[in-house]
Amino acid sequence: MPDDEIQVTEPLTSTTSEGQDIRPGELLVPEDTYLTAGVHIGTQQKSASMRHFVFKIRYDGLYVLDIKETDRRIRLAAQFLARFPPDKILAVSQRQYGQKPVRIFAKTIGAVSFSERFVPGSLTNPNLAEYIEPKVLMVTDPATDMQGLSEAVSVGIPVVGLCDVNNETRNVDLVIPCNNKGRVSLATIYWLLGREVLRARSGSEAEPAYPLTIEDFQAAL
Amino acid sequence: MIARADLRCTSCGRGLAGRGATAFLCPSCGVETIGRDARCRDQSVPYKCKNCGFVGP
């Protein structure tokens, strides 16, 4: 891409307002599913950029995330990802418990995944065999997926990131606040994202054909 | 394709020139183009959609 131009992907589906797509007070899955998966569990350290997403501080100093905001951001991220061509979405995870969820998520929505080592230059060096030109990057943890994040910044593509309470949100363009360390939590988030991306692409409120379960996304112990 | 010269950072108003800038349609409404220059991305400066009022990141 020439240096003086920038890519903006037009929406594939008709535009709907926020009020039509997000029903206040209604979660994507029952609240218990989020709570048992530990999606709301944060860390004992808090970064300044994640303070907006904190619901409360537990007696032991653990920061707890707001489930409703997580739910809302999953919907937004799914709408956002659904606007891109499937093969131009890159999902990465260096985190061990995120590797299987990322692989299955990418397979479900037709995206590309780097679930093992992110070879430096994969987005910037055309001479590499791994070289691809995605239009959006999805990172599991901005701290561990630093290489992918910095290359996405170099090539000027937007970044969607799962961020825990202790994560810095620098260079992330859309934050999904959640527990990005837990095995079940990551499986739940990617399962939901996959389902919602397919739903957003179909453009209907009806439940899409989605035979996978959260257990299918879980990494082995 | 939109020329970079035509786009400005939604947060600070600078032109989206140089390395590190990006532009994308608002995650919420998909209508407004959100521009983010390298400095605002690096410092995680919030942006607000002029169409729907969504505040990110």
Side-chain angles (χ1 to χ4, degrees), chain A residues 114-150:
Chain A
F114 285 171
S115 58
E116 292 173 2
R117 181 171 180 262
F118 189 98
V119 179
S122 295
L123 306 187
T124 54
N125 185 354
N127 296 323
L128 286 181
E130 293 86 359
Y131 178 71
I132 57 166
E133 290 183 343
K135 290 186 175 168
V136 63
L137 177 71
M138 171 97 208
V139 295
T140 304
D141 185 343
T144 52
D145 298 319
M146 194 183 293
Q147 183 64 33
L149 195 63
S150 66

Side-chain angles (χ1 to χ4, degrees), chain A residues 73 77 80-81 84 89-92 123 134-143 145-163 168-176, chain B residues 20-24 27 36 41 47 57:
Chain A
R73 289 297 182 116
F80 184 66
L81 292 174
F84 292 89
I89 301 171
L90 174 63
V92 299
L123 306 187
K135 290 186 175 168
V136 63
L137 177 71
M138 171 97 208
V139 295
T140 304
D141 185 343
D145 298 319
M146 194 183 293
Q147 183 64 33
L149 195 63
S150 66
E151 291 194 16
V153 170
S154 295
V155 296
I157 59 173
V159 178
V160 181
L162 306 185
C163 293
E168 292 287 343
T169 60
R170 59 174 48 191
N171 294 321
V172 178
D173 298 304
L174 183 61
V175 171
I176 302 175
Chain B
T22 189
F24 51 90
R36 298 194 82 200
R41 286 182 94 188
Y47 61 83

Side-chain angles (χ1 to χ4, degrees), chain B residues 16-40:
Chain B
L16 297 187
R19 178 181 170 274
T22 189
F24 51 90
L25 294 171
C26 172
S28 180
C29 64
V31 175
E32 189 74 18
T33 300
I34 306 286
R36 298 194 82 200
D37 76 333
R39 196 183 303 184
C40 288

